[in-house]
């Protein structure tokens, strides 16, 4: 990820918001943004993650707290390699407006948003569901949900940020993917994990 990738994501977001918000419409060109990086040399799986500032510079009676807190606002990506410009444009829209866990991002939120672009590389199969390192590996898990297969993914930083161990992370992945039953040993052994 580079600053150019993140800037391009914000350009794409502003372009998408522009037609519905007069203040933003005046800030963006009428044509779609163009990447300020070489878009044709690299194809990669990727994720676009938006976080929203929830508090900053809180004033207390005797001290001022300059800490900022961020909450997830949207995160969607693909494991299919795409040219970076095309993939970032497509998944900016997906993450900002189509992540079902959240309402679509609105123009008034832009000043409180941060974006992270994750370029995914070096996938390898895990020997079992706990065969990965917290903070080092992202975890992509495939499992049966009724008669079909489904997947759920966490980036390398998620388990560490949440303070989760391996068991809690895997349980959360099952829940994120829609699994609501008891997670038995058989269920764990049937899951396929890529790190």
């Amino acid at each position: 990820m580079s600053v150019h990738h993140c800037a391009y994501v914000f350009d794409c977001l502003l372009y998408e918001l522009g037609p519905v918000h007069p203040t933003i419409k005046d800030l963006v060109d009428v044509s779609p943004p163009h990447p300020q990086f070489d878009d044709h040399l690299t194809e990669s799986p990727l994720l676009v993650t938006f976080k929203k500032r929830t508090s900053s510079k809180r004033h207390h009676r005797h001290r001022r707290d300059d800490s900022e807190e961020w909450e997830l606002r949207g995160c969607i990506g693909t494991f299919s390699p795409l040219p970076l410009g095309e993939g970032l444009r497509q998944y900016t829209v997906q993450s900002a407006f189509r992540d079902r866990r959240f309402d679509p991002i609105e123009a008034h939120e832009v000043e409180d948003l941060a974006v992270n672009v994750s370029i995914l590389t070096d996938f390898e199969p895990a020997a079992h569901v706990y065969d990965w390192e917290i903070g080092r590996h992202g975890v992509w898990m495939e499992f049966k949900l009724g008669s079909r297969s489904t997947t759920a993914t966490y980036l390398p930083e998620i388990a560490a940020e949440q303070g989760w161990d391996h068991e809690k992370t895997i349980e959360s992945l099952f829940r994120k993917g829609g699994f609501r039953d008891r997670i038995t040993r058989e269920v764990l052994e049937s899951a396929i994990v890529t790190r």
Side-chain angles (χ1 to χ4, degrees):
M1 169 194 71
S2 77
V3 67
H4 297 292
H5 297 131
C6 293
Y8 179 65
V9 166
F10 270 108
D11 287 346
C12 292
L13 176 63
L14 290 172
Y15 176 77
E16 293 296 324
L17 287 169
V20 297
H21 196 280
T23 305
I24 291 178
K25 190 173 186 178
D26 295 337
L27 298 175
V28 295
D29 193 350
V30 292
S31 59
H34 297 286
Q36 299 299 312
F37 50 88
D38 194 343
D39 179 38
H40 302 291
L41 294 179
T42 306
E43 289 192 358
S44 184
L46 57 92
L47 279 97
V48 174
T49 304
F50 286 102
K51 290 187 177 181
K52 183 177 177 183
R53 181 180 12 247
T54 59
S55 65
S56 67
K57 299 187 181 187
R58 292 172 288 170
H59 293 275
H60 296 279
R61 188 168 181 206
H62 299 291
R63 66 183 176 87
R64 190 174 126 189
D65 181 3
D66 288 331
S67 66
E68 293 183 326
E69 295 177 14
W70 298 85
E71 65 182 20
L72 185 63
R73 190 60 184 83
C75 181
I76 297 183
T78 180
F79 283 92
S80 299
L82 293 173
L84 286 181
E86 174 187 333
L88 291 175
R89 183 173 47 254
Q90 180 178 348
Y91 284 93
T92 294
V93 171
Q94 294 292 324
S95 183
F97 306 115
R98 298 192 181 115
D99 187 329
R100 294 181 203 163
R101 297 172 293 175
F102 306 98
D103 291 332
I105 288 175
E106 296 181 13
H108 68 87
E109 297 177 271
V110 170
E111 68 185 44
D112 289 319
L113 292 177
V115 68
N116 184 47
V117 172
S118 301
I119 308 297
L120 308 176
T121 61
D122 303 323
F123 295 100
E124 61 185 12
H128 53 80
V129 294
Y130 303 124
D131 180 29
W132 50 276
E133 292 179 40
I134 293 173
R136 178 173 179 226
H137 294 116
V139 182
W140 177 81
M141 187 169 70
E142 181 178 357
F143 56 92
K144 287 286 189 189
L145 187 62
S147 61
R148 64 180 179 89
S149 289
T150 192
T151 63
T153 305
Y154 282 137
L155 296 171
E157 63 269 17
I158 299 301
E161 284 177 357
Q162 298 299 317
W164 294 339
D165 59 14
H166 286 79
E167 291 80 11
K168 179 62 180 165
T169 304
I170 294 299
E171 177 187 347
S172 180
L173 280 167
F174 274 110
R175 302 305 180 214
K176 181 179 180 184
F179 191 86
R180 301 293 176 248
D181 294 333
R182 187 169 159 262
I183 301 170
T184 64
R185 181 175 168 202
E186 292 77 22
V187 170
L188 289 171
E189 290 174 353
S190 69
I192 299 168
V193 171
T194 302
R195 59 183 193 187

